[in-house]
Amino acid sequence: MRLTELLNPQAVTTRLRARTKREAIAELVDLLEAAHGIDSHGEILLRVMHREEGQTTGIGNGIAIPHGKARAVSRMVAACGVSATGVEFESVDGEPVTLFVLLAAPESVGSLQVKVLANISRVLKEESVRRSLRESDGPEAFLAELKAAEAAHIP
């Protein structure tokens, strides 16, 4: 499963306002819930923050993939955000995060979540892809760039 299958234009912002890790996650959760018509009553935020306490999802190269499982989610969904200034995220390389992918999945998701995470990592390991996503002029352009990158890098 590709990330573009879990997104819609309303689930993407190229102007993330957050300045802290918690603000970034909260802003992305709000975006995800609004875009996908979910009201988790705080469950998604709680689960994602709990996951972050165990180990950062700031994987380096300016990327973070916060994720969590929640009862309020019936299918895997995502939201993406770009921060122009970068957010301190306790990333493994110590660098600020500019590109965020938030995933929310049902508790019974199984191996699908691992496959989606692997596909995201495969696509975002390319600097040219990261640059084109960061420089996207709006959600539609972001999704078009992401779709092209997935076509090129996911078999």
Side-chain angles (χ1 to χ4, degrees):
M1 180 171 270
R2 296 175 181 208
L3 177 57
T4 50
E5 296 174 65
L6 308 177
L7 291 167
N8 60 49
Q10 295 75 35
V12 176
T13 180
T14 55
R15 292 180 178 89
L16 202 65
R17 296 178 312 273
R19 297 287 177 237
T20 68
K21 182 178 191 171
R22 180 167 178 78
E23 287 174 359
I25 292 172
E27 189 174 339
L28 288 163
V29 168
D30 287 348
L31 185 68
L32 178 134
E33 289 191 0
H36 296 287
I38 299 168
D39 183 3
S40 76
H41 302 287
E43 181 192 13
I44 295 172
L45 179 60
L46 184 68
R47 296 287 183 98
V48 172
M49 290 305 299
H50 182 72
R51 167 72 181 74
E52 278 301 319
E53 290 168 10
Q55 181 179 3
T56 185
T57 57
I59 63 171
N61 293 316
I63 304 165
I65 311 174
H67 55 280
K69 297 178 182 177
R71 290 183 305 276
V73 180
S74 61
R75 61 182 174 82
M76 191 176 292
V77 290
C80 291
V82 177
S83 169
T85 57
V87 175
E88 170 50 47
F89 210 83
E90 301 166 1
S91 296
V92 295
D93 63 359
E95 295 297 316
V97 171
T98 54
L99 193 54
F100 295 86
V101 178
L102 172 75
L103 294 174
E107 291 182 322
S108 62
V109 70
S111 63
L112 179 60
Q113 184 173 0
V114 174
K115 184 173 179 117
V116 169
L117 288 166
N119 283 342
I120 293 167
S121 295
R122 184 176 294 123
V123 169
L124 296 182
K125 75 178 181 180
E126 301 294 329
E127 171 55 33
S128 60
V129 172
R130 295 191 305 270
R131 186 179 331 104
S132 68
L133 292 174
R134 282 192 303 265
E135 294 173 358
S136 295
D137 187 26
E140 288 81 6
F142 182 98
L143 286 170
E145 292 289 343
L146 181 59
K147 191 169 201 144
E150 286 177 335
H153 299 288
I154 298 174

